[in-house]
Structure formats: structure tokens, C-alpha cells
């Protein structure tokens, strides 16, 4: 299994444009799998549970240069732990959470890189701003000066066809452009975190700069 991880990572990295950052999603994967991915050149790892990530991070302190990305739903009461453990938070999904992170970051001496999670289509199973909500909250988000707001993150609703999935990704890219044109002082739109194992090629076509891949690298989770 470990050698096949290395082969898969090599193949997928070769298929991605140099501008796209591959984040290996290692939720429910043991640390030896992370070590194998690290040996194959991966330095960006994504986790969606604070506690699970903390255990792994403790066991992997001998590996230099890892960037940890939080990609799961983040409750406000876990904001401090997320800031202590992660370099990136992709899933900032409401203004209250953004403001809490902004309040805590100076106390912890960190300037976290974050993406704002947006829902292009209605989806009861996902968190995130709707487009009108996000546009309305931009003035308040621009005041979150301890956060490095770098772009948008999206996850299409389950069960869409390829054309519908591409529409979600392409609309996210257009929204980022629209926000950029408003020229906020503390909101950048340089990163688009979109695309997972089943749809990352569509995301790359639409302009993704970060793809979050798990199953395609490591096989099915147990």
C-alpha cells in the first residue's frame, strides 16, 4: 500500500499545473500513511477534526516543513485550538467565526491564512455563506485585520453532474474576481480551494489553486 501511495502521488502531481497546490487529505488515515506521502514529496496535509489532527501532529513532530490545513466545519468554541494547530483554515463559513478567529489570533501571536467558504447552490448539508450573504458581510470581514483572507473555498452539493459541478466551480472563480474588483484593503482573492478526488479536474479547469485530495491518493477510508 505504501509504495502505491507514492506512485499515485507522483501521477497526480504530474497531471496538475504547477500553479495548483495539492493538499493531501489524511482524515481517518494513520500516521504511517502521512509519512509515506511526506516521503513522496507532499508537505500540505488536510484534516477535518481538531482532536484527530492533534494526535497525529504530536506523532509527526520529527517531520519538518509540514503545512497543516483545517478543512472541516469549525465550531466557534474550537477556534482557539484551530489557530494553535493549523497554518490554514479553509472553512471559515460565517462572520461570527471570522470575528472570533480575528479576536484570538493576536493573543496567540498568529496570522492565520483563511479561505471563506461559500455555497453557490443551496445545500442543507453544507455550511457557508450564500453569495448575497458573503457580499453583504465583506465590509465587516475587511475589518478582520489579524486574518489573512486569501480566497474562497467551496464544495458542490452531492449528486450533481459534471456540467453542474463545473458551474459551481466557475461561479466561485467569478465571485472571487468580483470581490477582487471591489478592492478591499484586507481581503485577497488569490486562492480558490476547490476540488476533491471525484471532481478536482473540473475544479482545475475552473481555476482552482488548491485541491483537497484523499481517496484518490490513499484509497477508501476504513
Amino acid at each position: 500500500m505504501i509504495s502505491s501511495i507514492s506512485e499515485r502521488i507522483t501521477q497526480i502531481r504530474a497531471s496538475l499545473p504547477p500553479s495548483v497546490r495539492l493538499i493531501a487529505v489524511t482524515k481517518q488515515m494513520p500516521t504511517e500513511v502521512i509519512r509515506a506521502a511526506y516521503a513522496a514529496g507532499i508537505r500540505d496535509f488536510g484534516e477535518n477534526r481538531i482532536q484527530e489532527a492533534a494526535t497525529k501532529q504530536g506523532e509527526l513532530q520529527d517531520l519538518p516543513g509540514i503545512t497543516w490545513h483545517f478543512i472541516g466545519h469549525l465550531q466557534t468554541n474550537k477556534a482557539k485550538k484551530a489557530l494553535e494547530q493549523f497554518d490554514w483554515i479553509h472553512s471559515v463559513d460565517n462572520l461570527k467565526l471570522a470575528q472570533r478567529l480575528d479576536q484570538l489570533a493576536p493573543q496567540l501571536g498568529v496570522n492565520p491564512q483563511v479561505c471563506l467558504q461559500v455555497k453557490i447552490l443551496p445545500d442543507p448539508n453544507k455550511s457557508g455563506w450564500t453569495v448575497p450573504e458573503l457580499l453583504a458581510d465583506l465590509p465587516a470581514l475587511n475589518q478582520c485585520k489579524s486574518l489573512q483572507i486569501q480566497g474562497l473555498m467551496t464544495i458542490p452539493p452531492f449528486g450533481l453532474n459534471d456540467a453542474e459541478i463545473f458551474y459551481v466551480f466557475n461561479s466561485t472563480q467569478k465571485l472571487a474576481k468580483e470581490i477582487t474588483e471591489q478592492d478591499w484593503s484586507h481581503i485577497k482573492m488569490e486562492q480558490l480551494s476547490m476540488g476533491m478526488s471525484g471532481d478536482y479536474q473540473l475544479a482545475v479547469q475552473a481555476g482552482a489553486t488548491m485541491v483537497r485530495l484523499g481517496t484518490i491518493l490513499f484509497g477508501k477510508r476504513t
Side-chain angles (χ1 to χ4, degrees), residues 104-116:
L104 289 166
Q107 299 170 24
L108 298 169
V110 295
N111 286 100
Q113 319 247 17
V114 306
C115 293
L116 307 174

Side-chain angles (χ1 to χ4, degrees), residues 80 83-84 99-111 146:
K80 181 171 182 282
L83 288 171
E84 288 168 342
Q99 290 172 330
R100 181 67 178 143
L101 291 166
D102 185 61
Q103 178 189 20
L104 289 166
Q107 299 170 24
L108 298 169
V110 295
N111 286 100
S146 296

Side-chain angles (χ1 to χ4, degrees), residues 114-193:
V114 306
C115 293
L116 307 174
Q117 185 171 351
V118 64
K119 290 199 286 193
I120 297 296
L121 297 176
D123 187 351
N125 301 313
K126 301 278 187 318
S127 316
W129 277 275
T130 65
V131 174
E133 287 166 351
L134 180 58
L135 292 173
D137 280 346
L138 288 173
L141 286 163
N142 196 52
Q143 297 303 311
C144 293
K145 293 179 182 169
S146 296
L147 300 184
Q148 297 186 57
I149 299 175
Q150 298 287 5
L152 301 177
M153 185 260 230
T154 200
I155 306 171
F158 189 67
L160 303 185
N161 64 35
D162 282 3
E164 292 163 333
I165 292 168
F166 183 78
Y167 168 81
V168 169
F169 293 148
N170 198 41
S171 299
T172 305
Q173 182 263 331
K174 287 179 176 170
L175 175 61
K177 193 172 176 208
E178 180 184 341
I179 294 169
T180 300
E181 286 166 358
Q182 294 180 13
D183 203 22
W184 298 98
S185 57
H186 286 281
I187 298 174
K188 290 184 191 162
M189 286 284 131
E190 293 172 359
Q191 302 296 333
L192 291 173
S193 172

Side-chain angles (χ1 to χ4, degrees), residues 21-41:
R21 193 167 177 176
L22 170 55
I23 296 156
V25 178
T26 46
K27 61 183 184 183
Q28 296 175 304
M29 288 289 158
T31 48
E32 58 262 31
V33 165
I34 299 177
R35 287 184 181 278
Y38 184 94

Side-chain angles (χ1 to χ4, degrees), residues 61-94:
Q61 286 177 355
D62 58 308
L63 299 183
I66 289 182
T67 299
W68 290 100
H69 301 255
F70 188 78
I71 59 171
H73 175 60
L74 181 58
Q75 295 163 308
T76 311
N77 64 353
K78 301 266 180 71
K80 181 171 182 282
K81 284 199 166 81
L83 288 171
E84 288 168 342
Q85 289 176 225
F86 291 90
D87 309 287
W88 278 84
I89 301 173
H90 291 235
S91 47
V92 176
D93 57 16
N94 65 80

Side-chain angles (χ1 to χ4, degrees), residues 9-61:
I9 287 171
T10 303
Q11 285 171 354
I12 285 165
R13 288 179 85 176
S15 75
L16 291 173
S19 56
V20 177
R21 193 167 177 176
L22 170 55
I23 296 156
V25 178
T26 46
K27 61 183 184 183
Q28 296 175 304
M29 288 289 158
T31 48
E32 58 262 31
V33 165
I34 299 177
R35 287 184 181 278
Y38 184 94
I42 297 287
R43 294 295 179 269
D44 292 281
F45 292 93
E47 289 280 337
N48 71 337
R49 293 212 170 107
I50 299 280
Q51 189 53 53
E52 182 186 340
T55 305
K56 293 176 186 175
Q57 288 165 338
E59 293 171 8
L60 296 165
Q61 286 177 355

